[in-house]
Amino acid sequence: MFEKNKSLLWRYFILIIGLLSIFLIWLNPSVYLKGKEKLELDVYTNYKEPGYSASFLLKDLTSKVIVTSNIDNQKLGTYEVRYDLSYGAYHTKKTRYVNVIDRKKPIISLKGESSVSVCPSKSYVEEGYKAEDNYDGDITEKVKLEVNKNEIKYTVKDNSNNEASMTRKIIYEDKEAPTLTINGNNIINVYLGTTYEEPGYTATDNCEGDITDNVTISGSVDTNTVGEYTLTYSVSDKNKNMSTITRKVKVIKKDTPIGSGDGKVIYLTFDDGPSASITPYILQILKEENVKATFFVINHDDSLNYLIKQESDDGHTVALHSYTHDYSYIYSSVDNYFEDLTAIQNKVKSITGKKSTVIRFPGGASNTVSRKYQSGIMTTLSKEVVNKGYNYFDWNVDSDDAGGARNKEAVYQNVVNNLYYQNNVILMHDFENNYKTLEALRDIIQYGKQNGYVFKAITDNTPPSRHAVNN
Ligand code: ZN
């Protein structure tokens, strides 16, 4: 009985202690947290306090709470926010845990295209990639490649296990036509009765390499018949991408003018010199460009004789134009003309030691100014000079530098826009102060070189370039 009472008493005691504790708790000031006690915060973002409240015996003590935290949002980790409340002799606190985490995926970037064409017979050579994470930085070395037949998968995980992936498509195809080139020029002249020798060709394919052996030529050249023939060169790769190129072969008579190589020749000619202001510089350019030209000289002060000598010494042709260059005198009689011509011939010979027979009529054989002085004199002279062993040259390209061409651009355009395929005798002047021609000369030479012309000085063997006679 006593035992039973004792046990009952014990139970009462525990109950009272319990009720007392609840009362005491209720008596203590309390802090209540809004939101979760454990929070996640993305790295580099700011913590936003979800809020709290505090009270004691129904009195609001929220304003007395002191909040402190050690959150570093630049660094992953678990941090605490402490809420402390002191009220009289009472003290209470609460803690919220903030986990700074990285939830952002890394970014993979591919060098090269995300879809690439690869020759069917070859394999793709990795062009490179890069992986960057907002928190871990460069994690390129963590990238894993999964190479399948038609794609490459690039996968990477950052230290927080955020995964990113990219794919590169590999398309096995050959859409590029081979590169077909022919040696030599695309227009070739051959003499009648000789044989056409194929200068050759090459073909390379982006996938198959050298496929010159696959080139076929259609068309043929009959060197026994004058005419223009077209040869068509074709080549295909294994994927039937085809390239073609054509060459024209002209079978010409033997007396047709033809230069060295393919017959593209420029004869630069300078009339009315020499002059102190222009000729030395023209000679300098010709020397630097390693080009030979022809100077149709007239009589000047003997102090300029050294220029005629230099023209000759440099390998140019010193040709005869006129001693006086006076139309009214030279075209008033045949005798006057030859007296004048002989005078310049003698002068040139005394300077160069060579007898020159290459001549150019002042105004050209086609001039009409001579009509004023004697009708029909050009008809006579053009025959007589040949009878006397001279070889006269007019021109077929006029730079117009003694006429309307006002600047170097005009001189240049007048020349390069009027070139013929084969022989070009270009009329220019090296008289005093003709700077526009001097300034255009190097560009003209370079244009000619780039376009397959060779430069030659006129000689007695040069095919004639003659105008129709108009008087
Ligand atoms: Zn002249």
Side-chain angles (χ1 to χ4, degrees):
M1 187 67 194
F2 177 78
E3 286 297 318
K4 199 180 176 185
N5 284 345
K6 193 181 169 187
S7 154
L8 195 67
L9 204 66
W10 187 241
R11 285 185 197 179
Y12 278 126
F13 178 73
I14 288 172
L15 183 70
I16 287 163
I17 291 290
L19 287 171
L20 202 65
S21 321
I22 290 166
F23 181 69
L24 283 174
I25 289 168
W26 184 69
L27 263 184
N28 241 332
S30 300
V31 176
Y32 305 96
L33 297 185
K34 292 176 188 166
K36 292 178 179 170
E37 279 188 26
K38 286 184 177 177
L39 284 182
E40 287 184 339
L41 175 67
D42 284 317
V43 66
Y44 306 132
T45 62
N46 289 327
Y47 171 72
K48 263 192 198 162
E49 174 56 46
Y52 52 88
S53 63
S55 62
F56 180 52
L57 297 175
L58 302 176
K59 188 176 163 64
D60 184 0
L61 296 176
T62 305
S63 64
K64 301 229 179 267
V65 175
I66 293 165
V67 182
T68 54
S69 93
N70 63 348
I71 295 173
D72 179 358
N73 69 353
Q74 306 290 308
K75 213 177 151 192
L76 304 191
T78 303
Y79 301 93
E80 289 179 7
V81 183
R82 278 187 53 164
Y83 306 82
D84 285 283
L85 175 64
S86 295
Y87 187 65
Y90 295 105
H91 183 86
T92 189
K93 68 161 190 173
K94 277 259 176 170
T95 304
R96 198 195 301 267
Y97 297 91
V98 176
N99 201 5
V100 173
I101 56 167
D102 172 21
R103 287 188 289 199
K104 252 194 173 175
K105 286 180 183 179
I107 293 168
I108 300 178
S109 49
L110 301 182
K111 287 176 191 162
E113 300 294 317
S114 59
S115 174
V116 289
S117 285
V118 176
C119 288
S121 56
K122 292 180 181 168
S123 49
Y124 173 68
V125 178
E126 180 56 50
E127 291 164 274
Y129 47 83
K130 202 175 177 186
E132 281 214 288
D133 184 59
N134 65 317
Y135 186 72
D136 299 330
D138 188 338
I139 52 168
T140 302
E141 57 183 18
K142 290 186 162 189
V143 175
K144 291 198 168 80
L145 269 66
E146 190 187 325
V147 181
N148 296 312
K149 191 177 186 310
N150 293 310
E151 69 169 37
I152 300 171
K153 193 171 181 188
Y154 306 79
T155 311
V156 70
K157 274 185 186 175
D158 68 12
N159 290 331
S160 300
N161 262 345
N162 298 301
E163 188 178 281
S165 68
M166 275 287 270
T167 54
R168 196 194 304 264
K169 272 198 168 175
I170 311 295
I171 304 158
Y172 292 90
E173 62 181 1
D174 177 9
K175 284 187 165 174
E176 219 175 287
T179 304
L180 178 59
T181 53
I182 51 175
N183 303 335
N185 281 71
N186 51 4
I187 303 175
I188 290 180
N189 297 296
V190 289
Y191 285 130
L192 190 65
T194 59
T195 40
Y196 167 68
E197 277 174 31
E198 172 56 41
Y201 43 82
T202 52
T204 49
D205 185 59
N206 63 316
C207 288
E208 293 159 40
D210 187 342
I211 53 168
T212 302
D213 288 348
N214 298 349
V215 175
T216 56
I217 305 177
S218 66
S220 60
V221 179
D222 177 5
T223 54
N224 291 316
T225 310
V226 168
E228 200 175 288
Y229 301 88
T230 302
L231 298 176
T232 304
Y233 304 74
S234 307
V235 69
S236 293
D237 63 19
K238 284 176 183 155
N239 287 277
K240 299 204 164 31
N241 299 302
M242 189 164 133
S243 294
T244 57
I245 193 164
T246 59
R247 180 178 351 241
K248 278 198 172 134
V249 179
K250 291 180 181 174
V251 176
I252 55 175
K253 285 188 200 151
K254 237 192 176 110
D255 54 7
T256 307
I258 186 165
S260 76
D262 64 347
K264 294 170 81 170
V265 186
I266 289 175
Y267 300 94
L268 298 172
T269 70
F270 300 93
D271 286 12
D272 301 356
S275 67
S277 63
I278 302 298
T279 310
Y281 307 101
I282 284 182
L283 287 169
Q284 180 66 29
I285 292 172
L286 295 175
K287 189 172 275 178
E288 285 166 9
E289 296 289 339
N290 194 22
V291 158
K292 302 298 179 221
T294 304
F295 292 86
F296 289 95
V297 299
I298 64 178
N299 178 53
H300 285 286
D301 193 291
D302 282 345
S303 68
L304 298 177
N305 289 357
Y306 78 98
L307 290 169
I308 292 177
K309 178 82 166 79
Q310 198 191 326
E311 289 167 1
S312 175
D313 289 350
D314 285 357
H316 305 297
T317 293
V318 180
L320 312 176
H321 194 29
S322 171
Y323 192 86
T324 63
H325 209 284
D326 178 353
Y327 294 120
S328 67
Y329 177 70
I330 62 174
Y331 292 141
S332 58
S333 77
V334 173
D335 285 350
N336 284 4
Y337 176 81
F338 280 107
E339 189 218 81
D340 175 89
L341 182 63
T342 308
I344 191 66
Q345 185 177 49
N346 290 339
K347 174 164 182 171
V348 167
K349 196 184 171 195
S350 72
I351 297 167
T352 66
K354 293 176 208 158
K355 186 180 175 184
S356 185
T357 51
V358 173
I359 69 166
R360 175 175 284 162
F361 292 109
S366 57
N367 81 77
T368 50
V369 68
S370 55
R371 281 186 203 154
K372 268 204 273 185
Y373 310 109
Q374 195 180 121
S375 177
I377 191 167
M378 293 317 298
T379 307
T380 311
L381 290 178
S382 58
K383 287 173 189 155
E384 273 301 297
V385 292
V386 175
N387 291 341
K388 289 181 186 284
Y390 294 99
N391 194 355
Y392 77 88
F393 285 82
D394 289 309
W395 56 89
N396 58 1
V397 179
D398 187 356
S399 72
D400 206 19
D401 66 344
R406 283 163 185 244
N407 50 40
K408 63 172 183 177
E409 287 79 21
V411 172
Y412 174 82
Q413 297 295 339
N414 285 339
V415 174
V416 304
N417 292 336
N418 293 296
L419 291 175
Y420 291 86
Y421 181 68
Q422 288 183 323
N423 286 327
N424 296 277
V425 179
I426 306 198
L427 176 64
M428 295 188 283
H429 295 81
D430 60 334
F431 50 60
E432 205 71 67
N433 299 324
N434 195 16
Y435 292 103
K436 55 187 181 293
T437 293
L438 176 63
E439 288 163 4
L441 182 59
R442 200 185 295 273
D443 288 344
I444 290 170
I445 291 171
Q446 279 172 2
Y447 177 91
K449 286 178 173 175
Q450 281 157 14
N451 288 278
Y453 291 91
V454 295
F455 289 83
K456 290 184 170 185
I458 290 174
T459 67
D460 283 319
N461 300 320
T462 301
S465 176
R466 291 175 179 170
H467 294 168
V469 174
N470 297 312
N471 175 32

